[in-house]
Amino acid sequence: MQETAQDPARQPAFVLVRPQMGENIGASARAMWNFGLERMRVVGPRDGWPNERAVALASGAGRLLDRAGLFGDVPGAIADCTYVYATTARERGMTKPVVTPERAMIEARDRIAAGGRVAILFGPERAGLENEDIARANAVVSVPVNPEFPSLNLAQCVLLCAYEWRRATEAAPQAVMAMARTEFATTAEIAALGDHFEERLEEAGFFFPEEKAEGMKRNLRNLWSRMPLTRADVQSFHGMMRQMVRWAGRRDPS
């Protein structure tokens, strides 16, 4: 089978370093699986492993917890990796590249495509990664947050990186039109709708005064052409106009 960017072997490993709460491990697993990531590693979880609270918060992503690698220290968790990122919100006084999650995941994608093995380190909830952990990384990932309140929850940081991984590896249109069992009307159908309205408005004396009639008709045509009408829309407008004409014909002149 041909490998793709979403094959587990072609994904970065998300390494949770000394996580303190099982709930955050579970929420991190859920965030990873939301964006198709499966390679979780856990280093020295405070409350032991496996963790029932992590399973409860994973909410359908328990498979990541079942397959997660358990390690006693950071060196063991990243021993097989060729490039490591460390996430932190604080200046650590180290000379290292500092990149956004977007840039980090683009780089990770390219490194993995070239045969590399990438890991991203996420620190414990209370104070984040220690300087010793960051010293083992090749680069730092820093989220451009509010400098007056830079603290991110563990699962939030995992979600941001997982989202950027998905963006870097899966092409997705920025906007689409969801069609509810219909399709866009053709120019011929829209022209026929314009003709219908113009005929009925002509009968109703709408195009007055006569010297402005052509400009009014042109404006009406321009209105129809600007609207992204579906075939269902066109049929509805035809139906509305027919009903109004029938209602006008039934009115009591008195």
Side-chain angles (χ1 to χ4, degrees):
M1 182 181 68
Q2 183 179 3
E3 291 185 330
T4 68
Q6 294 305 310
D7 291 335
R10 303 292 301 277
Q11 297 178 352
F14 277 33
V15 184
L16 310 188
V17 180
R18 298 179 295 278
Q20 297 169 303
M21 299 178 63
E23 292 87 345
N24 283 331
I25 301 174
S28 296
R30 182 175 180 177
M32 289 175 63
W33 190 229
N34 281 151
F35 298 103
L37 286 161
E38 300 186 46
R39 301 183 63 210
M40 173 181 279
R41 298 179 180 182
V42 183
V43 177
R46 183 190 67 182
D47 296 335
W49 194 259
N51 186 299
E52 292 183 359
R53 288 178 293 178
V55 174
L57 265 291
S59 186
R63 57 185 290 176
L64 273 69
L65 302 179
D66 294 339
R67 301 174 184 176
L70 179 62
F71 297 86
D73 54 30
V74 170
I78 61 174
D80 64 334
C81 298
T82 58
Y83 202 88
V84 177
Y85 293 94
T87 59
T88 182
R90 294 184 285 120
E91 172 61 44
R92 302 303 185 103
M94 298 184 192
T95 302
K96 288 183 184 295
V98 179
V99 295
T100 63
E102 178 182 18
R103 182 62 190 174
M105 294 303 99
I106 291 172
E107 291 179 358
R109 176 200 63 195
D110 295 343
R111 292 180 187 281
I112 291 171
R117 293 180 296 279
V118 175
I120 300 99
L121 303 178
F122 299 89
E125 296 89 327
R126 184 178 61 83
L129 293 168
E130 296 179 359
N131 285 344
E132 183 179 348
D133 302 321
I134 294 176
R136 298 181 185 279
N138 302 96
V140 166
V141 178
S142 182
V143 179
V145 294
N146 177 7
E148 296 182 5
F149 189 64
S151 178
L152 286 175
N153 174 271
L154 170 59
Q156 289 177 317
C157 191
V158 168
L159 185 141
L160 285 171
C161 291
Y163 168 68
E164 292 297 351
W165 170 261
R166 190 74 176 186
R167 289 186 64 218
T169 57
E170 294 288 334
Q174 293 189 359
V176 296
M177 177 66 74
M179 305 297 285
R181 297 189 299 277
T182 187
E183 56 187 7
F184 284 114
T186 65
T187 55
E189 289 166 336
I190 294 174
L193 176 65
D195 290 340
H196 186 189
F197 265 69
E198 191 172 311
E199 290 168 7
R200 298 310 183 189
L201 291 172
E202 187 81 63
E203 293 172 1
F206 176 77
F207 299 113
F208 180 85
E210 184 176 351
E211 62 269 19
K212 294 185 178 181
E214 286 305 313
M216 296 171 70
K217 292 177 182 179
R218 183 168 56 250
N219 289 340
L220 187 60
R221 293 281 177 174
N222 187 44
L223 181 150
W224 296 123
S225 67
R226 290 201 315 268
M227 298 173 66
L229 295 172
T230 66
R231 285 183 165 173
D233 295 332
V234 169
Q235 291 168 3
S236 294
F237 276 118
H238 278 301
M240 285 187 284
M241 180 56 73
R242 285 192 292 266
Q243 184 61 28
M244 285 190 291
V245 170
R246 283 195 290 266
W247 174 80
R250 291 197 302 266
R251 284 193 306 167
D252 183 357
S254 62

